[in-house]
C-alpha cells in the first residue's frame, strides 16, 4: 500500500548578473571565457578570479580538439522534447568547453564552435566537425 | 588515539516497500545487536542522506527519531554518492576530536520514490546545474560515459572489458542475500542490453534503488571498557575536484581518487597497494568507473585497467579481489548507503564472516574507495585487524 504525496513544483530563478556578457554573447554568436592578469583562464566564465582580482572577458575562437563525448539515449526530465543528444567536451587552448553536436565525432577530431538555440529555446554552444 | 569499527549493519538493497526511517532502522538495529550495545550507549549520531529523491526534506530528523537517537546529535552530511563515507568520516573525526567515545554512522537512501526520468534529471543536476544540466542535459551515466569514450580512445579499452566488470559483479551479488540483483549475466547480455548513454548500456549501470547501512565506531578507550573486538580504521584519505567537467585536467581517470589514495597510503605507510590488501571495495557506479579505480588506486598502471579485469586479477583468486559483495553495480547503489555498506562488507570479510563470499586473509587489511559525483568527492579508508 502506498500514499501519493502532495505535489510540490519548483522552478528556480537563477541570477546571472555577473556573467551577463556570456549569456548575451550566445545570442550574438560568440562564446566568452574570462581571463585574469594572474594568468588563470576560466570556462565556465566567472567575474572574480580566485586570486581576488576582477577578470576580463575574452572571446573563444578557432579550432578545438574533442577530448570526450557521449550520446544520451535515456532522456531526463526537462528534456522530454529532445531526441538522443550528443554531449562533447573540446579543448580550445587554455580552456575546455562543453557543447552539443549534430555531427558524428570521435576523440581527437577537430571542431569549430557556433551558438544556436535548442528546440526548447535555450541558447547554447554547438560544435561542428572541421 | 585509534578508532575501531565495533558494529555493522546493512539492510537488503533494492526497491524497498518501507519508509526511509523504517529502512534506516533495519541497518541500525543490526549494528546495535552486532556491537551488543543499546541506543543509550551511542553518544553521537551522524546521518548520511543525499535525500533529493525522497519526500522527507530533512531526513536526519525522522531517521534519528525512529532509530531512538533523538537527543544524540544529529548531524546530517551529504557528499553525493560518497555521502556514506562522509558519515563514517564525521563519526571518526568526532571520536578523534574527543567529542564522543562511541558514534554511529548511518547511510540511508530511498531513490525509488520518483520515476526514472526524474531520477535521471536529479542526478544530472548534481554536477554543476547551470553550466551543465541547464544547457546540455548531462545525466550521471553521461558523465561516466564521457570518461569511457576518452579511456577507449587513449588506451583501447573495449566495451567487452567493461562488460566483464558487470559479469563479475552479478556473479558475486548472486551469492549475496542483501544484493539488489541475484542473477548472473553474460558478456553478451551486457553488450545486447539497451543503450543508456553511449557507450554505457543498461547492464553497465548501477540500479536506482533503496538501502541503508550503519557502522558503530569506538575510541580505543571505549574498546577497552566494553571489551570490543574491533576492525581498526588504520588510515583515511579524502580529496575533491571541480564541479564542472570542463575544468578537469583529463577524462581517463579521477584526480580525487589518486589524491585520496595517496593520502591514505601515506597514513598507513603503504608503498605497494597491490600487495598490501586482501580485498578492496571500489566505486563501480558504472563499469568504466571500476576500470579507472584499478588504475587510480595503483593496482595496475594507467591504461591497463581493461587488461586487469580481463586477466581475472580483480576476481577471487586474482591479485586482489574487488567488489566481492557484488559492487554498486549489482549489490546496488542507494547513494548514502553505499559508503557505509563498503565498511560493512570489509568488516565482515576481515572478521571472516563473509560466508560463501569470504576471501583468504593474509594481510588482514582491506581498502574501501567511495567516489561522490564524478570525482567531486573521494574517500579511501584502510581498515585492518
Amino acid at each position: 500500500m502506498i500514499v501519493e504525496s502532495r505535489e510540490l513544483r519548483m522552478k528556480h530563478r537563477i541570477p546571472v548578473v555577473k556573467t551577463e556578457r556570456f549569456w548575451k554573447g550566445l545570442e550574438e554568436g560568440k562564446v566568452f571565457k574570462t581571463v585574469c592578469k594572474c594568468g588563470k583562464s576560466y570556462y565556465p566564465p566567472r567575474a572574480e578570479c580566485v586570486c581576488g582580482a576582477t577578470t576580463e572577458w575574452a572571446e573563444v575562437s578557432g579550432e578545438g580538439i574533442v577530448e570526450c563525448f557521449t550520446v544520451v539515449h535515456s532522456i531526463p526530465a526537462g528534456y522530454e522534447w529532445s531526441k538522443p543528444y550528443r554531449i562533447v567536451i573540446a579543448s580550445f587552448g587554455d580552456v575546455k568547453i562543453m557543447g552539443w553536436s549534430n555531427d558524428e565525432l570521435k576523440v581527437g577530431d577537430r571542431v569549430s564552435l557556433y551558438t544556436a538555440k535548442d528546440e526548447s529555446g535555450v541558447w547554447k554552444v554547438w560544435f561542428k566537425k572541421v | 588515539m585509534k578508532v575501531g569499527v565495533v558494529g555493522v549493519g546493512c539492510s537488503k538493497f533494492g526497491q524497498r516497500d518501507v519508509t526511509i526511517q523504517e529502512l534506516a532502522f533495519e541497518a541500525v538495529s543490526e549494528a546495535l545487536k552486532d556491537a551488543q550495545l543499546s541506543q543509550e550507549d551511542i553518544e553521537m549520531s551522524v546521518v548520511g542522506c543525499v535525500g533529493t529523491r525522497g519526500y522527507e526534506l530533512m531526513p536526519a530528523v525522522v531517521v534519528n527519531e525512529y532509530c531512538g537517537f533523538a537527543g544524540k546529535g544529529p548531524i546530517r552530511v551529504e557528499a553525493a554518492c560518497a555521502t556514506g563515507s562522509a558519515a563514517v568520516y564525521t563519526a571518526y573525526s568526532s571520536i578523534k576530536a574527543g567529542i564522543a567515545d562511541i558514534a554511529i554512522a548511518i547511510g540511508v537512501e530511498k531513490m525509488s520514490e520518483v520515476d526514472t526520468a526524474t531520477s535521471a534529471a536529479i542526478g544530472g543536476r548534481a554536477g554543476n546545474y547551470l553550466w551543465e544540466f541547464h544547457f546540455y542535459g548531462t545525466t550521471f551515466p553521461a558523465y561516466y560515459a564521457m570518461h569511457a569514450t576518452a579511456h577507449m580512445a587513449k588506451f583501447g579499452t573495449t566495451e567487452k572489458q567493461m562488460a566483464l566488470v558487470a559479469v563479475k559483479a552479478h556473479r558475486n551479488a548472486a551469492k549475496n542475500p542483501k544484493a539488489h540483483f541475484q542473477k548472473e549475466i553474460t558478456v553478451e547480455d551486457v553488450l545486447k542490453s539497451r543503450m543508456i548513454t553511449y557507450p554505457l548500456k543498461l547492464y553497465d549501470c548501477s540500479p536506482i534503488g533503496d538501502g541503508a547501512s550503519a557502522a558503530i565506531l569506538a575510541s580505543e578507550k571505549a574498546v577497552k571498557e566494553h571489551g570490543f573486538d574491533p576492525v581498526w580504521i588504520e588510515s583515511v584519505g579524502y580529496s575533491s575536484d571541480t564541479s564542472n567537467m570542463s575544468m578537469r585536467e583529463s577524462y581517463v581517470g579521477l584526480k580525487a581518487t589518486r589524491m585520496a589514495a595517496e593520502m591514505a597510503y601515506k597514513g598507513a605507510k603503504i608503498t605497494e597497494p597491490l600487495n598490501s590488501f586482501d580485498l578492496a571495495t571500489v566505486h563501480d557506479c558504472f563499469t568504466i568507473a571500476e576500470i579507472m579505480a584499478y588504475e587510480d588506486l595503483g593496482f595496475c598502471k594507467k591504461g591497463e585497467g581493461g587488461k586487469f579485469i580481463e586477466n581475472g586479477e580483480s576476481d577471487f583468486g586474482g591479485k586482489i579481489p574487488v567488489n566481492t559483495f557484488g559492487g554498486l553495480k549489482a549489490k546496488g547503489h542507494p547513494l548514502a548507503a553505499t559508503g557505509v555498506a563498503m565498511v560493512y562488507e570489509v568488516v565482515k570479510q576481515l572478521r571472516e564472516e563473509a560466508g560463501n563470499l569470504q576471501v583468504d586473509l593474509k594481510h588482514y587489511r582491506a581498502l574501501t574507495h567511495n567516489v561522490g559525483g564524478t570525482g567531486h568527492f573521494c574517500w579511501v579508508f584502510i581498515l585492518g585487524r
Side-chain angles (χ1 to χ4, degrees), chain B residues 169-371:
Chain B
H170 277 254
R171 191 166 53 236
N172 294 344
K175 294 180 188 165
N176 179 357
K178 294 197 170 182
H180 189 146
F181 297 125
Q182 305 277 328
K183 186 173 154 248
E184 291 198 36
I185 56 169
T186 64
V187 167
E188 289 66 36
D189 291 333
V190 183
L191 297 177
K192 283 181 186 165
S193 62
R194 79 182 156 86
M195 189 63 76
I196 298 296
T197 302
Y198 175 83
L200 302 178
K201 293 158 284 289
L202 181 68
Y203 285 167
D204 284 297
C205 306
S206 56
I208 294 169
D210 313 322
S213 46
I216 299 172
L217 277 58
S219 67
E220 218 171 343
K221 177 172 153 261
V223 165
K224 279 180 195 151
E225 280 172 11
H226 287 264
F228 292 128
D229 179 17
V231 170
W232 298 104
I233 296 177
E234 293 188 1
S235 182
V236 184
Y238 51 86
S239 191
S240 63
D241 206 344
T242 62
S243 67
N244 283 286
M245 279 277 282
S246 59
M247 297 180 83
R248 301 283 175 88
E249 285 167 19
S250 84
Y251 302 99
V252 294
L254 301 179
K255 189 178 171 187
T257 295
R258 292 195 298 277
M259 291 169 71
E262 193 182 320
M263 184 175 168
Y265 293 163
K266 194 177 170 190
K269 297 185 174 59
I270 283 166
T271 51
E272 291 180 50
L274 193 57
N275 300 316
S276 304
F277 306 108
D278 295 310
L279 76 147
T281 77
V282 310
H283 201 85
D284 62 327
C285 48
F286 301 95
T287 51
I288 185 63
E290 180 164 320
I291 288 174
M292 292 194 301
Y294 300 151
E295 301 169 0
D296 293 336
L297 292 167
F299 298 164
C300 64
K301 286 184 186 156
K302 187 46 73 190
E304 293 181 358
K307 286 265 182 292
F308 199 75
I309 177 83
E310 207 166 53
N311 296 337
E313 303 295 11
S314 55
D315 211 339
F316 285 89
K319 284 180 180 163
I320 181 164
V322 173
N323 291 344
T324 53
F325 56 97
L328 286 56
K329 168 66 200 89
K331 186 195 174 190
H333 182 30
L335 308 178
T338 292
V340 189
M342 285 178 165
V343 170
Y344 167 92
E345 300 290 347
V346 159
V347 165
K348 288 280 181 189
Q349 286 281 2
L350 292 175
R351 286 190 199 154
E352 298 183 85
E353 292 172 1
N356 55 10
L357 291 166
Q358 183 65 47
V359 299
D360 294 330
L361 299 176
K362 189 169 95 184
H363 309 284
Y364 287 85
R365 188 184 254 173
L367 172 147
T368 73
H369 161 251
N370 190 194
V371 178

Side-chain angles (χ1 to χ4, degrees), chain B residues 125-138:
Chain B
R125 284 167 174 248
N128 184 302
Y129 170 77
L130 193 56
W131 299 96
E132 294 184 337
F133 188 83
H134 174 78
F135 282 128
Y136 306 113
T138 46

Side-chain angles (χ1 to χ4, degrees), chain A residues 9-120:
Chain A
R9 290 189 182 193
M10 288 196 279
K11 198 165 186 178
H12 300 93
R13 291 188 296 271
I14 304 164
V16 292
V17 177
K18 288 199 173 189
T19 51
E20 199 172 350
R21 187 75 200 89
F22 173 84
W23 298 81
K24 289 195 168 158
L26 289 179
E27 295 179 25
E28 299 160 7
K30 294 175 179 174
V31 179
F32 285 99
K33 61 181 176 182
T34 53
V35 293
C36 180
K37 58 188 174 200
C38 77
K40 281 195 193 312
S41 294
Y42 291 101
Y43 192 91
R46 44 184 283 173
E48 297 133 336
C49 180
V50 290
C51 78
T54 301
T55 56
E56 291 183 357
W57 294 94
E59 194 180 340
V60 180
S61 58
E63 289 181 3
I65 297 167
V66 173
E67 297 238 348
C68 59
F69 69 94
T70 185
V71 183
V72 176
H73 291 264
S74 183
I75 307 290
Y79 283 80
E80 296 85 352
W81 45 270
S82 182
K83 333 184 272 291
Y85 48 87
R86 183 176 290 103
I87 308 172
V88 179
I89 296 176
S91 56
F92 286 78
D94 57 0
V95 290
K96 295 187 179 85
I97 292 179
M98 186 180 276
W100 270 15
S101 181
N102 287 323
D103 294 349
E104 291 260 350
L105 293 171
K106 57 182 193 303
V107 174
D109 279 351
R110 301 189 79 80
V111 289
S112 60
L113 50 75
Y114 64 101
T115 69
K117 280 184 190 176
D118 66 24
E119 289 167 86
S120 70

